[in-house]
Amino acid sequence: MAKSTINQLYLNMNELDRVEMNEKIIIYQPYDEVQILLAENASCLAVKTYLKMLNRDFTVKSCANAEFMAPSGKRTKLPVVQIGNFIAAEFDPIINLFEHKSMSLTENFEAEDKDDLVTYMSLVDMILTNTELYISWCDELVLKEITKKRNGSVYPFPLNHIQNSRKRYAVIKQLRFYDWANLTFEEVVDKVDKLCQTLVAKLGDRDYFFGSNPTELDALVFGHLFCIFTMELPSSVSLLKETINKYSQLTQFCGRIEKKYFGKIKN
């Protein structure tokens, strides 16, 4: 879809009342097999899981320029979701759209629980998205063997190198904003370890983080953890998976979500 077309589709948030939620939902994302990167894949999976939790059907369309279709975005700019003549990009804006239309998973939450939910979601997004970006763009082996090949796969030479340099510059700038750019890999894993401890304490022996029903937090955590579990990464960063795998509550949580909403289980 051309950028000019996207500009025509984009509506100001003040015009959300005109969005017809019974329209077909289309998710635009990079190509799964050859292009999509870890952080982008996690964001896309989180949105798909959220829509499944809402019992909303959707169609996925893969395209090389998906991230450039987004009218805005602060992290991955993905996925791009189109509903009728409205588009939104990234997890939070997409959730805000559905909440504005009274289609939230947590519409009956008390204010205190709602604040708690937002706090956990912000923590998960910051730590796991930063981790995924760090792994992809700061680890030299991952950058060489995976990131550059996948990110540049849809562009001809020398545009592939230009796009890789442009994307890496933007990611490093973003990581610097959060004081992550100069961390060691071990320091990154330590942050993930502490987050996992926090999530396990919140989850307890329940199926979902806030009880017997799923919330936006469940979709977000699953999207990130499942992609880290299943993404093929070099042994140089295997400590990340090993650290998360220590927490059986989280691996079982991912298994439950996958089985219920996607109908399959991967080891």
Side-chain angles (χ1 to χ4, degrees), residues 75 110 140 217:
R75 306 308 303 271
E110 299 291 339
E140 292 298 330
L217 176 63

Side-chain angles (χ1 to χ4, degrees), residues 184-236:
T184 65
F185 173 64
E186 289 73 20
E187 289 172 331
V188 169
V189 172
D190 184 61
K191 287 181 179 292
V192 174
D193 192 19
K194 288 182 171 61
L195 173 65
C196 288
Q197 294 174 31
T198 300
L199 291 176
V200 166
K202 178 63 177 175
L203 182 62
D205 58 359
R206 299 174 297 189
D207 285 346
Y208 304 106
F209 286 103
F210 282 84
S212 58
N213 296 311
T215 67
E216 294 85 351
L217 176 63
D218 297 284
L220 185 65
V221 172
F222 171 76
H224 283 284
L225 294 188
F226 186 82
C227 285
I228 292 174
F229 285 145
T230 58
M231 186 84 169
E232 292 187 9
L233 295 170
S235 58
S236 62

Side-chain angles (χ1 to χ4, degrees), residues 141-181:
L141 188 58
V142 176
L143 180 64
K144 178 182 177 181
E145 293 189 355
I146 298 176
T147 306
K148 287 184 176 180
K149 292 179 181 179
R150 293 182 72 88
N151 188 71
S153 65
V154 296
Y155 305 106
F157 177 85
L159 185 58
N160 57 337
H161 295 292
I162 296 173
Q163 289 292 345
N164 282 338
S165 296
R166 177 201 64 81
K167 184 71 174 283
R168 187 167 191 267
Y169 175 81
V171 169
I172 297 299
K173 181 179 179 181
Q174 187 178 140
L175 290 175
R176 283 200 186 103
F177 176 81
Y178 292 100
D179 294 325
W180 276 60

